[in-house]
Amino acid sequence: MSPAFDGSSGPADIEGSPLHAAFQQPLILGLFLPIQNGGWSISTLPRGTDWRFDYNARLTKQAEALGFDLVFGLAQWLGKNGHGGQMKYREQSLDAFIATSALAAITERILLISTVHALYGPWHPLHLAKFGATLDHISNGRWGINLVTGHVSTEWAMFGQPMIEHDERYARAAEFVGVLDTLWRSDANLTIRTPRWQLDDAFVSPRPRYRRPVLVNATGSDAGIDYAVRHSDLIFITSPAGADFDDAIGALPAHTAKIRDGAARVKRSVRTLINPTIVCRPTEREAHAYRDAIVAHADEGALDGFVGQGRRSDARAWAKHKREQRILGGNLHLIGSPEQIVDKLVALKRAGCDGVQLTFFDFEPDLAYFGEAVLPLLVEAGLRRDFAGSNSLHTTT
Ligand SMILES: Cc1cc2nc3c(=O)[nH]c(=O)nc-3n(C[C@H](O)[C@H](O)[C@H](O)COP(=O)(O)O)c2cc1C
């Protein structure tokens, strides 16, 4: 058989699935885990942010206790010194797949999304189908894949593979995920034939609890969006106009509408998540002072390395982000008092973003302050609700 992805139903359609629960929230809330040293900010201002597992495990539990819907880990392949500079930015980097697997065993409710470069190396869809089904069971339906195609030429070189052309990569990803989905849905042995994959009497058991694990893609290009609206539950989007909030808020309505329309054309609906960096302090003045201190400690060497990666990448999603915006990092900057942050989150929701996946400079205290000062205001603004049967916003488990 030639497998096709069945986009007509997935975990979001099944009441009781963790993804269905997350989708009941007016604004989905995620945390971008700093499993790479430096997280998203290329600054040497002292902070506690740490790539190590224990730190990220604490953050995940903190996010879960605050009622966050998901945590996410990115995957990348860098050489010695990472992006360089004093920080050796992102030289230390936990694998997202393994890290989220370990998190499954120490959490109860939060979704765990890990990035996989499905086209690198010897990833076989049968491996990923089996690993994913296993993780789905360990996590009780909370595990998902951000399936990306690899936009950096030096990463392909590390694997000894020629880089595949941008749009062709999405065609290969569709083929790969079609095999995955077919294996996850079948309770019989399958013989599968695609241009690249031949499986004889292949079988995966246990099957995932809610049809399949959560599927995510991170993109901004036309080919990527076309892939993502057909094969994903969630799309991680970037601001098409750079990280400045006013620029972004002007450009996002058309961008999110394009994704919604693309999904409607294939009779699906997907949710969009953007990843802002939040700099929040009791007053606007203090928040700007905090941002200024972060920026004043820019690690220029690491910044050169990170921005230089752009020359080895064909990603279209980050094209408008300026060099100086990379110091604070993330794809959108939200800076201000708790009230101002809530206003900006309300504006993002109105601009068509279904959720946000947050990064912070100093994750542990900044997340704690967000939980204490911003979350209650988000509830008041109607962006977060405490739905029956789930852990409440303020419950610690
Ligand atoms: C929130 C977010 C997370 C991402 N995570 C990863 C990642 O972990 N690994 C990776 O290689 N690329 C990651 N990307 C980058 C996308 O894969 C990259 O933008 C990709 O090349 C999309 O390109 P396109 O816009 O040209 O389709 C991420 C992008 C976003 C917005």
Side-chain angles (χ1 to χ4, degrees):
M1 70 178 294
S2 166
F5 184 84
D6 178 2
S8 64
S9 67
D13 304 309
I14 303 175
E15 208 156 322
S17 84
L19 187 66
H20 184 272
F23 280 8
Q24 305 316 302
Q25 285 287 358
L27 187 77
I28 301 164
L29 207 47
L31 182 71
F32 209 128
L33 292 174
I35 54 175
Q36 287 83 16
N37 71 297
W40 273 100
S41 303
I42 308 180
S43 168
T44 58
L45 185 71
R47 55 176 156 157
T49 298
D50 195 334
W51 57 272
R52 289 174 181 81
F53 183 73
D54 287 353
Y55 182 85
N56 281 280
R58 281 207 306 277
L59 279 182
T60 302
K61 288 180 178 173
Q62 193 182 349
E64 184 169 69
L66 289 169
F68 274 54
D69 303 301
L70 66 93
V71 292
F72 165 72
L74 79 82
Q76 59 176 157
W77 303 87
L78 287 169
K80 187 164 170 57
N81 295 330
H83 292 292
Q86 221 178 305
M87 303 166 72
K88 300 186 178 176
Y89 181 52
R90 292 189 175 172
E91 180 187 47
Q92 307 294 338
S93 158
L94 293 180
D95 178 72
F97 191 96
I98 305 291
T100 50
S101 308
L103 290 171
I106 57 164
T107 50
E108 290 173 10
R109 188 196 53 80
I110 200 161
L111 290 162
L112 306 160
I113 312 290
S114 68
T115 303
V116 173
H117 291 100
L119 305 183
Y120 290 168
W123 263 121
H124 192 291
L126 188 57
H127 279 125
L128 198 49
K130 182 75 179 174
F131 296 171
T134 303
L135 275 168
D136 181 273
H137 274 257
I138 293 172
S139 68
N140 199 6
R142 293 183 293 124
W143 185 76
I145 317 173
N146 172 34
L147 198 151
V148 295
T149 64
H151 62 99
V152 183
S153 61
T154 45
E155 294 195 350
W156 286 92
M158 264 200 201
F159 283 90
Q161 292 173 273
M163 187 169 183
I164 302 169
E165 187 276 327
H166 182 277
D167 291 7
E168 171 62 16
R169 294 202 300 269
Y170 285 105
R172 303 259 184 121
E175 182 185 352
F176 192 100
V177 83
V179 178
L180 277 183
D181 189 51
T182 306
L183 288 166
W184 281 328
R185 284 171 190 267
S186 173
D187 65 355
N189 291 352
L190 288 178
T191 293
I192 295 176
R193 296 284 180 262
T194 78
R196 259 154 296 274
W197 304 107
Q198 286 82 49
L199 289 73
D200 284 327
D201 288 333
F203 182 59
V204 168
S205 174
R207 288 161 69 204
R209 288 181 191 221
Y210 304 103
R211 301 207 178 122
R212 57 169 169 74
V214 177
L215 289 174
V216 183
N217 181 256
T219 186
S221 64
D222 289 346
I225 290 171
D226 186 62
Y227 165 86
V229 296
R230 293 169 193 274
H231 303 100
S232 303
D233 304 300
L234 284 168
I235 306 186
F236 293 161
I237 59 168
T238 52
S239 154
D244 177 76
F245 182 78
D246 293 333
D247 294 341
I249 211 69
L252 278 168
H255 190 53
T256 55
K258 180 173 157 184
I259 293 171
R260 264 196 314 278
D261 293 349
R265 270 199 296 280
V266 295
K267 301 191 169 35
R268 296 192 71 233
S269 79
V270 291
R271 309 286 168 117
T272 53
L273 252 73
I274 194 157
N275 78 298
T277 301
I278 304 262
V279 180
C280 185
R281 283 289 181 267
T283 64
E284 180 180 5
R285 196 179 50 76
E286 289 166 282
H288 281 272
Y290 185 21
R291 189 272 315 272
D292 291 347
I294 295 167
V295 171
H297 284 77
D299 183 338
E300 295 295 337
L303 200 52
D304 286 343
F306 188 71
V307 173
Q309 175 178 272
R311 289 190 287 278
R312 306 189 303 275
S313 157
D314 64 6
R316 318 236 162 111
W318 297 87
K320 292 281 167 53
H321 285 71
K322 301 189 188 89
R323 178 188 160 91
E324 63 271 19
Q325 294 176 336
R326 304 296 196 146
I327 304 166
L328 184 57
N331 63 45
L332 178 62
H333 297 163
L334 268 53
I335 301 163
S337 66
E339 293 76 14
Q340 290 172 316
I341 297 294
V342 171
D343 288 347
K344 288 173 202 275
L345 291 171
V346 169
L348 284 175
K349 171 79 184 170
R350 289 200 181 120
C353 299
D354 299 308
V356 286
Q357 179 170 221
L358 306 179
T359 58
F360 298 97
F361 180 70
D362 196 352
F363 273 74
E364 232 170 0
D366 291 353
L367 174 61
Y369 185 63
F370 180 87
E372 177 192 314
V374 180
L375 268 182
L377 300 181
L378 275 182
V379 175
E380 265 174 43
L383 284 192
R384 294 288 298 171
R385 76 163 167 258
D386 185 10
F387 47 90
S390 95
N391 291 348
S392 82
L393 213 52
H394 304 290
T395 304
T396 49
T397 50

